[in-house]
Amino acid sequence: MTQKMFEGVFPAITTPFQEDGQVDHAFLRGHARWMMQAGCRGIVPLGSLGEGNTLSFDEKVAVLRTLVDALDGAPVIPGIGSLSTQEAVRLAQAAHEAGCQGLMVLPPYVYTSDWEEMKAHLSAVIEATPLPVILYNNPVAYRTDFLPEQILELALKYSNVRGVKESSTDVRRVTALAAILPPHVELLVGVDDALLEGMAAGATGWIAGLVNSHPAESVELFDLCRAGRWEDAMTLYRWFLPLLRLDTVVKFVQLIKFVQEESGHGSARVRAPRLVLTGAEQAEVRRVLQVAGPAPTLRTAAL
């Protein structure tokens, strides 16, 4: 069977910063390649975990150019989020010009719109390029709940709507979407600690956060689920869950970046208004890592 466009693990890559606060393009390049070597399918920059809302337009475009060059043909699928529809359209067009192979389109930042306004915003971005689009539902972060019937409306209207990243934290939404989406629209889990449940309900892709520190374990968990090896998947999932749950709280960016630093795969630096973890927060993450220990070894047979 032909692999789907968005099947597999796609890291929501963090944005690394130098000591002076500028984007660390050298580390970004190497980090993306490291995760791809572990078996990831592509990279999703400029999303919530990528601190996209703290980057300038020019910084975003520079990040995309670095990743497109670094990955040499592997998909770069940036988050397209903005305060204004005009800037979101500009960013989508700039991503296309930079060589990105898809877009993950977010609702408008800050302004909580009704469906007609949200539909107009999303439609403008979808129409801005011929690139395949993943629609992103994250009512926890963006206060706009993108309902299944609304997603279906856009999927039926636009042939380049090819995926949905579902991050409502309600696995019933995955089930609901799987029941109504046309065959050309793929379903991706967008919450780290709902991967197994989401795939059991019909998802075929995972846009993940802790993959920034644990790419091999993330890919193995996904592959076990895809192969229907649910008992082995549950063994790995139980080990992974205390870390995956760091993706589901307010300071998820700081937490995941701190795990990267502790595991030797990045820096804990964030851009204000976020502040790095200190004291008890650091100690708790170190405790979680210590209790978890090394991942169980499961690749004893071909998947």
Side-chain angles (χ1 to χ4, degrees):
M1 186 173 67
T2 303
Q3 190 173 43
K4 295 177 180 293
M5 182 178 298
F6 301 121
E7 183 177 11
V9 179
F10 292 79
I13 193 170
T14 53
T15 302
F17 298 110
Q18 301 172 347
E19 289 186 17
D20 64 0
Q22 299 303 304
V23 175
D24 187 341
H25 286 270
F27 182 85
L28 179 68
R29 177 185 297 270
H31 186 54
R33 286 175 170 168
W34 174 64
M35 290 191 289
M36 293 299 295
Q37 289 166 0
C40 295
R41 281 287 317 286
I43 298 292
V44 180
L46 308 183
S48 308
L49 183 55
E51 298 174 80
N53 59 355
T54 71
L55 300 175
S56 71
F57 185 89
D58 289 343
E59 285 179 317
K60 291 179 181 181
V61 175
V63 163
L64 299 184
R65 288 174 176 161
T66 291
L67 289 171
V68 168
D69 180 67
L71 298 191
D72 193 27
V76 176
I77 306 165
I80 305 298
S82 178
L83 291 169
S84 73
T85 301
Q86 181 182 35
E87 185 169 285
V89 166
R90 282 184 60 219
L91 182 58
Q93 293 169 338
H96 187 207
E97 292 168 6
C100 294
Q101 295 186 22
L103 307 172
M104 182 180 72
V105 182
L106 286 65
Y109 284 148
V110 181
Y111 177 60
T112 305
S113 55
D114 62 22
W115 171 232
E116 289 305 311
E117 290 176 322
M118 182 179 171
K119 180 168 63 174
H121 173 89
L122 293 165
S123 296
V125 179
I126 294 167
E127 292 170 4
T129 80
L131 292 176
V133 165
I134 298 171
L135 300 174
Y136 183 16
N137 182 43
N138 188 340
V140 177
Y142 302 116
R143 299 184 299 168
T144 301
D145 197 2
F146 199 178
L147 300 177
E149 58 267 28
Q150 297 166 344
I151 291 169
L152 178 62
E153 183 178 342
L154 291 177
L156 293 175
K157 182 176 181 181
Y158 295 106
S159 61
N160 61 326
V161 171
R162 300 295 299 276
V164 177
K165 178 186 177 184
E166 172 49 43
S167 298
S168 69
T169 74
D170 183 354
V171 73
R172 292 173 298 179
R173 283 295 182 87
V174 178
T175 307
L177 286 164
I180 65 170
L181 289 178
H184 71 279
V185 181
E186 299 171 50
L187 190 49
L188 299 95
V189 176
V191 181
D192 272 17
D193 66 348
L195 184 274
L196 189 145
E197 297 88 341
M199 290 196 70
T204 58
W206 187 20
I207 298 180
L210 266 297
V211 65
N212 281 278
S213 58
H214 293 75
E217 295 86 348
S218 299
V219 169
E220 180 162 8
L221 177 59
F222 179 89
D223 286 347
L224 288 167
C225 291
R226 178 169 54 183
R229 289 176 55 179
W230 298 111
E231 186 175 344
D232 286 340
M234 184 57 74
T235 297
L236 183 55
Y237 199 42
R238 288 195 184 102
W239 168 84
F240 213 174
L241 274 173
L243 289 170
L244 295 177
R245 287 178 178 138
L246 299 177
D247 180 60
T248 63
V249 295
V250 171
K251 291 190 177 182
F252 73 105
V253 175
Q254 295 95 313
L255 290 163
I256 290 174
K257 280 191 160 184
F258 186 68
V259 173
Q260 283 184 253
E261 183 170 284
E262 287 293 294
S263 60
H265 299 295
S267 166
R269 296 187 194 103
V270 289
R271 181 169 282 185
R274 292 182 177 89
L275 300 174
V276 296
L277 303 180
T278 59
E281 292 173 319
Q282 289 186 350
E284 176 58 20
V285 176
R286 290 190 178 112
R287 185 195 68 78
V288 170
L289 286 167
Q290 183 177 16
V291 169
T297 302
L298 295 172
R299 284 190 180 272
T300 56
L303 295 175

